[in-house]
Amino acid sequence: MIDNTLASRWPALPADSWTDTRETLHRWTQIVGKTRLALSPMLNHWWQVPLYVTPRGLSTGPMPYAAGSCEIVFDFRAHQLRVHTSDGRTHELALEPRSVADFYQAYRGLLREAGIAVKLWPVPVEIEDTTPFIQDQIHRAYDATTVETFWDILLRADQVLQEFRSRFRGKCSPVHFFWGSFDLAVTRFSGRPAPPHPGGIPHLADWVTRESYSEEQIAAGWWPGGNGQEAAFYSYAYPSLPEVANAPIQPAGGFFSQEMGEFLLPYEAARTAPDPRQAVLSFLQSTYEAAATLAHWDRAALERA
């Protein structure tokens, strides 16, 4: 159970207060995430791809390579990127202001030092600017204080999503950080197949999307904002349910965005609530119940009492 005293201290993080740092960090996580994609065996819905929240930052978790096992960690307390290998060695790279191109070159050098041979697709995905990493001299900001604030929020969001996940006994994803969309997410499944996803997500192959959405699901998570939008918790169903837009949800700050096709709870509304944890849990639970009921999920079999 989360300490409400801790939960009540959720910090502010306006999207426009760290745009440059966020855009740089997004690309850095993609570079590391593509390493996990290249080294890890395929899992359903691309569950071998995301990063995971740890008490220090974000981690790939263990990955196989020629000489054993390795792990790559963003340490947002010490502001270091660390490559750990099963032979007991650790290789480090400082997280500090530097261009994406410089980070990419230094990171590849770190992998070589560790003896990790991997082929990476060196181009960003799921964002409009697809400048190859090796050429990106524009994105170079790294404000350590703001990154720590982001990390504080990510920790709290992860704790609440983990608690929400525990209420479901059907098939459910881990709580994981998708470096493509730069958000923390958890997904519940009905156990039934879904119609093929129409695709069309910018700079993401349709066959990738169709694997992600191959089964009926209700997803929820936290996104730190960007592109003129503020940070928010979100919830949506696939296949989409047009009638869900009219469903009553909690808390009062939550709403259905016709533009996004999903429920949103602005982060500012959540963090300033008397009990942020409970506000987020109410949002996650009420939006799930609305979608699962309309989609005729077997809730008695899928949910814990």
Side-chain angles (χ1 to χ4, degrees):
M1 186 66 66
I2 299 171
D3 182 349
N4 283 338
T5 302
L6 174 67
S8 68
R9 296 198 299 266
W10 290 29
L13 188 63
D16 63 2
S17 69
W18 70 304
T19 300
D20 293 343
T21 292
R22 185 182 63 249
E23 291 184 354
T24 300
L25 184 60
H26 189 174
R27 287 160 174 80
W28 290 0
T29 62
Q30 290 209 7
I31 292 168
V32 173
K34 285 170 179 281
T35 310
R36 183 162 195 244
L37 172 61
L39 292 177
S40 301
M42 177 70 191
L43 294 176
N44 50 305
H45 314 295
W46 303 105
W47 289 354
Q48 85 282 11
V49 168
L51 305 177
Y52 294 93
V53 173
T54 77
R56 299 290 300 189
L58 290 169
S59 169
T60 61
M63 303 176 292
Y65 79 114
S69 180
C70 63
E71 177 188 23
I72 303 170
V73 177
F74 283 96
D75 185 332
F76 293 138
R77 293 306 184 210
H79 300 285
Q80 296 281 331
L81 182 76
R82 296 193 172 98
V83 178
H84 302 291
T85 52
S86 53
D87 60 6
R89 294 182 299 159
T90 295
H91 304 264
E92 296 184 344
L93 174 65
L95 298 177
E96 59 188 7
R98 64 169 80 210
S99 71
V100 170
D102 179 62
F103 178 89
Y104 182 73
Q105 289 181 308
Y107 174 71
R108 294 310 302 258
L110 208 66
L111 293 182
R112 286 191 295 271
E113 289 177 11
I116 301 170
V118 62
K119 184 177 181 180
L120 304 181
W121 173 243
V123 178
V125 296
E126 298 186 57
I127 54 179
E128 289 299 323
D129 179 7
T130 57
T131 302
F133 299 130
I134 195 65
Q135 298 174 15
D136 189 347
Q137 297 288 347
I138 301 299
H139 300 98
R140 54 174 56 245
Y142 186 85
D143 182 81
T145 300
T146 309
V147 170
E148 288 183 19
T149 301
F150 163 67
W151 175 237
D152 285 342
I153 299 168
L154 202 60
L155 274 174
R156 287 157 174 75
D158 178 73
Q159 290 176 329
V160 178
L161 289 169
Q162 295 283 4
E163 184 172 354
F164 174 65
R165 183 183 187 271
S166 72
R167 300 175 176 181
F168 196 74
R169 62 184 180 185
K171 176 181 174 180
C172 188
S173 77
V175 178
H176 40 207
F177 186 85
F178 280 104
W179 41 265
S181 48
F182 205 62
D183 67 323
L184 191 68
V186 65
T187 305
R188 294 174 169 185
F189 295 84
S190 71
R192 302 187 297 239
H197 194 280
I201 297 177
H203 308 295
L204 186 65
D206 289 349
W207 60 270
V208 174
T209 307
R210 287 173 184 145
E211 169 59 32
S212 299
Y213 293 97
S214 59
E215 299 177 24
E216 285 187 348
Q217 58 189 259
I218 298 172
W222 179 76
W223 179 63
N227 300 321
Q229 300 181 27
E230 289 297 329
F233 289 91
Y234 64 82
S235 175
Y236 67 88
Y238 182 80
S240 61
L241 303 162
E243 60 270 38
V244 81
N246 300 316
I249 65 164
Q250 300 175 344
F255 65 96
F256 188 84
S257 168
Q258 293 290 349
E259 178 186 3
M260 302 294 290
E262 58 189 38
F263 288 107
L264 297 176
L265 175 64
Y267 172 67
E268 188 65 13
R271 82 167 194 90
T272 56
D275 185 341
R277 167 186 158 274
Q278 188 55 52
V280 176
L281 281 173
S282 295
F283 172 77
L284 298 173
Q285 186 66 31
S286 63
T287 55
Y288 160 75
E289 289 180 358
T293 300
L294 284 169
H296 305 291
W297 283 26
D298 186 354
R299 292 183 53 195
L302 294 171
E303 299 169 18
R304 297 189 187 280

